[in-house]
Amino acid sequence: MTSGLMLAGTSQQLLAAQSAAAERTLRLYNIHTGERLKSTYWVDGHYQADELQRLDYLLRDHRSGGVNAIHRSLYDRIHHLQQTFNAREPVYIISGYRSAASNQQLRQTSNGVARGSLHMQGRAVDIRIPGVSHRDLHEAALAIGEGGVGYYPNSGFIHLDTGRTRRWTA
């Protein structure tokens, strides 16, 4: 990925192709639990309820065990990024859903954790893709043009959320 214009064009093409795709499959790895999941969560224009439950469980709060429904558009964005880079390895989940207690605990021990984090609503996820530079992943996420995109180069991940469109670097 060498230019923003090329990346934006590629993203738009992939989003259009994703809309037309008969199936969407995610390959994910939760770095905290060691669990891996391959899930075809979209088939013939419809989300698959049982597969969404499996995905939501994988993205649970690993501290409390709490599970919350993750906004479906986040799964679509992860899928888009997985396709953009033709990822051979599963997408690494750094953080998905967080309970209020887990979020408060993180606020006390880490910088950059929002008091009203969208993670607590199932509206945010932190990811990385092995073999893909964090900068390229960040640029591809920005090219989607929706929600919040945070770049955490020192921590090795990007943040995606379904909030208002914005960007930041930590």
Side-chain angles (χ1 to χ4, degrees), residues 2-31:
T2 57
S3 79
L5 291 175
M6 181 177 169
L7 188 58
T10 302
S11 293
Q12 290 170 354
Q13 291 167 353
L14 278 169
L15 286 173
Q18 180 171 291
S19 295
E23 292 186 350
R24 296 179 198 159
T25 299
L26 284 172
R27 288 176 294 110
L28 304 177
Y29 171 69
N30 184 315
I31 68 162

Side-chain angles (χ1 to χ4, degrees), residues 19 23 44 56-57 82 89 119 168:
S19 295
E23 292 186 350
D44 295 329
D56 292 345
Y57 183 77
Q82 179 181 271
E89 297 292 320
H119 284 277
W168 66 93

Side-chain angles (χ1 to χ4, degrees), residues 32 59-67 94-110 113-115 117 119-120:
H32 299 288
L59 273 71
R60 71 190 178 280
D61 182 337
H62 70 274
R63 292 168 190 84
S64 71
V67 178
I94 312 304
S95 183
Y97 169 69
R98 281 189 215 138
S99 68
S102 289
N103 199 70
Q104 181 58 31
Q105 177 187 358
L106 278 175
R107 282 182 52 76
Q108 294 171 351
T109 60
S110 301
V113 177
R115 173 175 289 144
S117 173
H119 284 277
M120 296 186 299

Side-chain angles (χ1 to χ4, degrees), residues 113-166:
V113 177
R115 173 175 289 144
S117 173
L118 293 176
H119 284 277
M120 296 186 299
Q121 300 171 32
R123 295 180 55 198
V125 63
D126 300 333
I127 65 168
R128 72 173 161 247
I129 300 177
V132 176
S133 81
H134 306 313
R135 181 179 309 279
D136 288 347
L137 184 57
H138 178 242
E139 287 179 15
L142 287 172
I144 293 171
E146 296 177 353
V149 179
Y151 181 39
Y152 295 80
N154 294 332
S155 299
F157 66 86
I158 68 157
H159 168 98
L160 302 171
D161 70 47
T162 61
R164 71 186 195 291
T165 301
R166 65 209 188 288

